[in-house]
Amino acid sequence: MSSVPTNKEELYQAIKLNSEKILEDYLSIPKEYAHKNGIEGNVKGAIINVADTLAYLLGWGQLVLKWHQLKSEGSDVDFPETGYKWNELGQLAQCFQSQFKSWSYSHLILEFKVTIAKILSLIESLDNHSLYDIAWYEKYTLGKMIQLNTSSPMKNMRIKVRRFKKINQI
């Protein structure tokens, strides 16, 4: 499998594998460490915690599902999200973190599993043509947009989470 998915099967496998790997890391972190700051955030100088990293991945996963639903209904989509531009992704990350701030760590993990299952189900429901052969947003295919906002951030966030685990000897 190439590092960047180029078809339906590779996309499905990339999300499945990356979500399983980061989920394994999340499950190995004791809940008393879930809200301990020590991870570099998406805004310069921001320090976040493990729960915030989950909120970030959840936010993007749920946005992907929202984009697809809106476009499927023929509705307009404010990319990346209403009130945010592509050069304001740090602020959007902070929005995701505040959206899920009151959730327990175990609830975040459960919601992450549910969101990933919905994304994998979406991919299964589509054919390779609709995922990779037609532009879906500007020059990007739907498959590329899903990958850029699910498996890629999971890989990046896993590096940060594993560094946190090592520093905290987890």
Side-chain angles (χ1 to χ4, degrees), residues 22 26 39-40 42 48 52-54 56-57 152-162:
I22 199 162
Y26 284 139
I39 298 173
E40 182 185 330
N42 295 79
I48 61 172
D52 289 334
T53 68
L54 251 170
Y56 176 81
L57 296 175
S152 290
M154 282 182 233
K155 280 167 79 171
N156 296 335
M157 206 53 83
R158 185 167 183 246
I159 292 166
K160 293 179 179 187
V161 168
R162 291 178 67 81

Side-chain angles (χ1 to χ4, degrees), residues 10-11 31 40 45 62 70 72 77-78 123-124 143 167:
E10 288 176 2
L11 178 64
K31 68 177 186 266
E40 182 185 330
Q62 291 178 354
L70 288 170
S72 296
V77 180
D78 274 340
I123 293 166
E124 282 182 317
I167 289 167

Side-chain angles (χ1 to χ4, degrees), residues 11-28:
L11 178 64
Y12 185 93
Q13 289 304 322
I15 294 169
K16 188 172 178 343
L17 182 69
N18 287 312
S19 65
E20 287 170 355
K21 284 181 178 179
I22 199 162
L23 192 56
E24 192 176 311
D25 286 319
Y26 284 139
L27 291 171
S28 73

Side-chain angles (χ1 to χ4, degrees), residues 32-101:
E32 59 269 20
Y33 283 88
H35 296 282
K36 179 182 178 186
N37 286 344
I39 298 173
E40 182 185 330
N42 295 79
V43 172
K44 188 174 172 66
I47 302 298
I48 61 172
N49 59 51
V50 173
D52 289 334
T53 68
L54 251 170
Y56 176 81
L57 296 175
L58 266 173
W60 279 110
Q62 291 178 354
L63 258 188
V64 164
L65 293 167
K66 176 183 170 181
W67 294 339
H68 183 265
Q69 181 181 345
L70 288 170
K71 281 195 83 141
S72 296
E73 295 167 353
S75 301
D76 289 336
V77 180
D78 274 340
F79 287 100
E81 175 62 302
T82 304
Y84 296 91
K85 294 179 175 39
W86 286 111
N87 64 352
E88 298 173 325
L89 297 183
Q91 294 95 312
L92 183 55
Q94 290 177 323
C95 175
F96 295 150
Q97 290 155 9
S98 71
Q99 178 185 346
F100 293 104
K101 199 58 132 180

